Amino acid sequence: MHCNILQMRGSCADCHIIIIIIKLFITLHKEEKNSLQAKAANSSHSSSRPLRFSAYLDAMQQVHLQWDHDSKEMITFELQVQSTGWVAFGFTTHGELPGGDVVIGGVLPDGNMYFSDWHIVDEETIVEDESQDYEVLSMTEDETSTTITFRRYFQTCDPHDQPITFPIPDDDTTYACTFIPLPRVKTKHHIYKFEAVITPRNQTMVHHILVYACSNASVLPTGVSDCYGADPDFALCSQIVVGWAVGGGSYMFPDETGISIGTPRDFQWIRLEVHYSNFDLIPGLIDNSGIRLYYTPELRPYDMGVLQTGLFTFPIHFLPPGVESFNSYGLCNTSQFEELNGIPVPDMHVFGYLLHTHLAGRGVRGVHYRDGKQLRILCEDNKYDFNLQETRGLKELVTFKAGDEFLVECRYETLDRTSLTFGGPSTLNEMCLAFLFYYPRNNISSCMGYPNIQYVAQELGQTAADAMEGMMAINLVDWNNDTAKKAEKACKEVDQIVIIKTIDEVVVNETGFIRDIIETQPLPCKRIFENEPTAETEGQGKFLADVMSSGALDMKATLPLPVLLFVHFGFPWLLTVMPRML
């Protein structure tokens, strides 16, 4: 379902719908204009607060829509069109005119206005609805534009009105994508914060939300469709701007950087990708989730970017079944960044990251190398939780130079699985990714590696002439702990193919190999009571020892020691629950 401006005055000279509409309004609405004007004058917004959501509906940004909704499922629209006379706004299914749900309104030369609810029968016929379910709230016109504010319920009782919903398909995995223009600003601004807005009843369904920057030269489709389905255009745009996954919260960028919008170099459109996981195949779920971006004219010193790294997801990634631990690796070799970028790449100052696997993931870490030597383990989560994926800031900036390498290692457990798990989009598939937030930005969008699968298949006793045969051969392996360890070793020791991609979808291949990871020494443990006691704690300890030794508090046989300590140190709120615990 998508908003579609069906027509603006003077923009389609040979459109039959235009002729019909003009004739109808000349004859019909002269008779009704006074009652409509009075109705609009007596109406007011359902709320005095500003409408929270907005978007331009055309590439020229001449049609601006704002909207908001309330707890009663009433949605209010404000449509501003750079045109005078009359305007039409409607909803269609997959962009097809028949069945379209339309409102048409405008201001007559004498200052009176008209507004009405219609539906499209076919390419040449438009009919006014018997049930008028849109209410006009206000309408104004100046020398260049027309603004109409109106409202309706999400679902009306008129079969000619399109329901305003996005139903989550009753499939276990859905990737829904749409393309949205960013707000047009006259001067440079910085996006400084983002947060997910999840429909409350769908928290368990929304797996992740990603926002991709689209090159201004891209030819983008309209509507909502499967991101990686039959229409490849819905997979356009690969430069990630921001991302959210299960368990994440809002994230504010450091004061020195933000995402630039408003300059000729900046992207003007984004691809919004929402991944739904409807494992129980529940029908009829309606979702309005998305991501809210905050931007400001108060500029930061640097423009930031996001680099996607890790293991190329499909089709090479695989996990053996029934193993307690299996490691996968994806390498980024930056040696060709400058050539691919077109201009020298300045040092990349990494300030944050987001780690991502699916349900089998148990640990993720990213390791930074320079001149063949390990510099640091940049990010690490050895207790990875699928339900707690959040963007995290580094304690201090880490500098990447051209030629550096970045290795992502993911550890999995598949004890509950009896068949191979492959990399892919479903939550039941797997991924191994690390998104690096850095500044100043460059044109590189992703840098990911994968092992030579033919070599891996051969090491497992199979034959394969190419990558496709290699993946087919993996299915023939008799998997057990020994073959799993052999596969892990082969994936680690074989050369990696590294795929580097720019925001303009330019791709180059590089090679590299997985270097050893030098484990960092854990910090020494500390016991709090081994520190030098203060006079106060020393006195407390002596008091307790004196009481215990004198027998004045001989309750060890009836009360556990923790209760004794709570009583002594005075936690009255704990005393109220102690009887239930004993």
Side-chain angles (χ1 to χ4, degrees):
M1 189 70 62
H2 70 281
C3 299
N4 183 27
I5 294 301
L6 298 177
Q7 192 55 56
M8 290 184 290
R9 182 178 183 181
S11 62
C12 181
D14 59 351
C15 183
H16 295 288
I17 296 177
I18 293 299
I19 299 173
I20 295 170
I21 292 174
I22 292 176
K23 288 182 178 178
L24 283 171
F25 281 124
I26 289 176
T27 58
L28 174 64
H29 289 284
K30 279 187 177 180
E31 300 172 3
E32 299 182 351
K33 61 187 179 183
N34 293 331
S35 62
L36 278 172
Q37 185 180 30
K39 182 179 179 182
N42 293 328
S43 298
S44 61
H45 288 9
S46 60
S47 174
S48 59
R49 61 191 175 103
L51 304 181
R52 293 176 293 169
F53 311 106
S54 66
Y56 285 97
L57 304 185
D58 66 318
M60 299 298 294
Q61 299 197 351
Q62 294 181 336
V63 182
H64 186 247
L65 181 69
Q66 293 181 275
W67 71 95
D68 205 343
H69 55 85
D70 59 25
S71 59
K72 298 179 180 180
E73 296 192 340
M74 174 75 79
I75 185 167
T76 301
F77 299 98
E78 181 178 282
L79 180 69
Q80 184 179 62
V81 183
Q82 298 300 311
S83 176
T84 58
W86 63 268
V87 296
F89 167 85
F91 302 93
T92 69
T93 302
H94 304 303
E96 300 295 328
L97 289 182
D101 173 19
V102 192
V103 291
I104 306 169
V107 180
L108 294 169
D110 62 3
N112 289 310
M113 58 182 172
Y114 52 85
F115 181 87
S116 191
D117 180 8
W118 298 69
H119 66 275
I120 300 174
V121 177
D122 53 39
E123 297 288 339
E124 299 185 355
T125 309
I126 184 169
V127 176
E128 187 175 25
D129 293 0
E130 293 184 5
S131 175
Q132 293 290 304
D133 294 288
Y134 288 79
E135 179 186 11
V136 63
L137 301 177
S138 65
M139 189 183 308
T140 59
E141 178 184 281
D142 58 27
E143 295 180 354
T144 61
S145 65
T146 301
T147 302
I148 304 176
T149 305
F150 54 96
R151 64 185 180 183
R152 58 159 280 188
Y153 286 106
F154 283 179
Q155 302 203 49
T156 72
C157 298
D158 186 352
H160 295 305
D161 291 338
Q162 294 272 8
I164 302 177
T165 63
F166 181 76
I168 300 176
D170 51 356
D171 295 325
D172 59 7
T173 297
T174 300
Y175 276 72
C177 276
T178 191
F179 295 88
I180 303 171
L182 288 174
R184 175 168 287 185
V185 290
K186 295 181 179 180
T187 60
K188 180 175 179 176
H189 285 58
H190 269 143
I191 296 172
Y192 64 92
K193 178 184 175 181
F194 68 90
E195 64 183 3
V197 181
I198 309 298
T199 301
R201 59 184 176 274
N202 296 336
Q203 285 97 335
T204 61
M205 303 288 179
V206 182
H207 171 276
H208 76 240
I209 305 175
L210 293 176
V211 175
Y212 296 85
C214 295
S215 169
N216 296 334
S218 299
V219 178
L220 305 175
T222 59
V224 179
S225 186
D226 186 343
C227 303
Y228 309 105
D231 187 347
D233 286 348
F234 277 89
L236 291 173
C237 313
S238 62
Q239 173 74 65
I240 289 180
V241 180
V242 296
W244 171 91
V246 178
S250 63
Y251 185 74
M252 184 177 294
F253 304 127
D255 292 342
E256 61 267 26
T257 189
I259 300 170
S260 176
I261 60 173
T263 77
R265 182 178 174 230
D266 296 329
F267 58 98
Q268 297 178 8
W269 287 73
I270 59 98
R271 171 164 69 96
L272 179 67
E273 172 183 299
V274 184
H275 176 191
Y276 297 100
S277 296
N278 188 359
F279 290 133
D280 296 323
L281 308 182
I282 302 172
L285 294 173
I286 306 302
D287 188 69
N288 297 291
S289 301
I291 278 188
R292 180 176 291 131
L293 304 176
Y294 296 82
Y295 59 99
T296 176
E298 298 179 6
L299 299 181
R300 279 94 186 280
Y302 300 102
D303 299 337
M304 62 157 286
V306 180
L307 180 67
Q308 180 175 338
T309 66
L311 177 57
F312 202 77
T313 300
F314 185 81
I316 305 300
H317 194 192
F318 71 92
L319 304 178
V323 296
E324 184 175 359
S325 179
F326 184 86
N327 289 336
S328 296
Y329 301 90
L331 177 67
C332 171
N333 185 343
T334 69
S335 61
Q336 292 198 43
F337 269 28
E338 290 201 352
E339 178 181 349
L340 190 59
N341 191 56
I343 58 175
V345 175
D347 290 349
M348 299 168 59
H349 303 291
V350 179
F351 62 85
Y353 62 91
L354 171 66
L355 306 177
H356 182 65
T357 78
H358 288 178
L359 296 175
R362 296 295 181 269
V364 187
R365 58 180 173 177
V367 188
H368 182 200
Y369 300 88
R370 181 175 299 155
D371 298 327
K373 297 180 180 180
Q374 178 177 319
L375 295 184
R376 61 184 58 84
I377 295 178
L378 185 144
C379 49
E380 185 172 22
D381 188 344
N382 290 318
K383 300 291 184 180
Y384 181 84
D385 186 344
F386 174 82
N387 295 307
L388 188 59
Q389 303 180 51
E390 59 183 356
T391 301
R392 301 172 181 175
L394 294 173
K395 293 181 179 179
E396 57 185 25
L397 289 176
V398 171
T399 301
F400 275 49
K401 295 183 177 293
D404 285 2
E405 296 174 335
F406 185 69
L407 174 65
V408 180
E409 176 194 68
C410 295
R411 176 171 50 86
Y412 302 95
E413 178 195 295
T414 60
L415 291 174
D416 60 341
R417 306 190 182 194
T418 57
S419 59
L420 280 167
T421 299
F422 289 100
S426 170
T427 308
L428 298 177
N429 296 133
E430 264 308 332
M431 293 185 176
C432 176
L433 301 174
F435 301 94
L436 302 181
F437 293 75
Y438 72 92
Y439 67 82
R441 74 175 182 186
N442 55 56
N443 291 325
I444 310 299
S445 62
S446 64
C447 178
M448 297 186 289
Y450 62 90
N452 183 331
I453 198 64
Q454 295 166 257
Y455 174 86
V456 177
Q458 292 167 3
E459 289 296 296
L460 294 170
Q462 307 295 320
T463 58
D466 55 29
M468 185 59 67
E469 289 188 8
M471 287 305 297
M472 295 174 64
I474 294 297
N475 280 295
L476 304 177
V477 175
D478 181 16
W479 289 106
N480 53 48
N481 285 334
D482 290 339
T483 51
K485 289 300 181 184
K486 188 178 292 186
E488 180 183 83
K489 180 175 182 295
C491 288
K492 184 177 181 181
E493 68 185 13
V494 69
D495 285 349
Q496 285 233 335
I497 296 92
V498 180
I499 300 177
I500 307 171
K501 184 183 292 188
T502 72
I503 188 175
D504 297 314
E505 308 294 324
V506 178
V507 178
V508 298
N509 291 338
E510 178 63 278
T511 58
F513 63 92
I514 306 303
R515 301 183 187 277
D516 290 333
I517 300 175
I518 302 173
E519 303 292 340
T520 56
Q521 293 296 322
L523 294 174
C525 64
K526 296 181 179 180
R527 298 182 184 277
I528 192 168
F529 291 114
E530 288 181 351
N531 296 330
E532 286 293 324
T534 64
E536 180 182 4
T537 58
E538 187 175 38
Q540 290 174 345
K542 184 175 185 301
F543 170 79
L544 184 59
D546 290 344
V547 171
M548 295 293 289
S549 62
S550 66
L553 194 61
D554 188 12
M555 301 174 64
K556 289 188 287 184
T558 57
L559 288 178
L561 182 59
V563 177
L564 208 70
L565 294 178
F566 289 147
V567 173
H568 171 69
F569 286 112
F571 291 99
W573 62 271
L574 284 173
L575 299 181
T576 62
V577 299
M578 281 302 163
R580 302 182 208 171
M581 298 172 62
L582 294 177

